[in-house]
Amino acid sequence: MPFGVLQEMPGVGEQEYRQVEKHLGPGRPPGLLAHVAGPTEDGWRIINIWDSEEAFRRFQSERLIRAAGLAAQEDGFDPGKAAGFTSVTVDGTEMPF
């Protein structure tokens, strides 16, 4: 069942986004159907659609948390800026496909 994740990150810009992105590892994560990211009036927004919640949780635990940690250590990424993000998830019952 499709699973969507919307992240709103006030105070985060493209530089911080790219710092984390470069540590995510090669290739498209298994189960990722669509990824859109870009600026908002006060920060950065990421929208991902996964083929299942399990695929997202696997990516989150195996790649995303590690990438944010590496960015903080190697690139000076301030994890406090991203810590204030809000996240909304939806499952397939809310999606018409």
Side-chain angles (χ1 to χ4, degrees):
M1 180 172 299
F3 185 76
V5 180
L6 166 69
Q7 294 173 280
E8 297 280 353
M9 296 178 282
V12 172
E14 184 173 6
Q15 178 182 348
E16 291 92 355
Y17 169 76
R18 299 283 180 213
Q19 287 173 324
V20 174
E21 183 183 50
K22 79 177 193 177
H23 293 288
L24 286 174
R28 184 183 191 100
L32 180 62
L33 302 175
H35 171 83
V36 179
T40 63
E41 288 184 17
D42 65 344
W44 200 256
R45 176 181 294 140
I46 300 172
I47 302 169
N48 290 318
I49 305 296
W50 297 86
D51 65 9
S52 67
E53 182 176 357
E54 293 76 24
F56 166 68
R57 299 293 177 204
R58 185 171 44 254
F59 165 75
Q60 184 181 41
S61 67
E62 294 176 2
R63 292 174 71 170
L64 182 58
I65 292 171
R66 179 182 175 277
L70 287 172
Q73 291 174 3
E74 297 175 9
D75 302 325
F77 174 74
D78 178 4
K81 288 176 90 175
F85 80 89
T86 59
S87 180
V88 177
T89 59
V90 296
D91 64 25
T93 61
E94 293 144 325
M95 296 179 196
F97 54 88

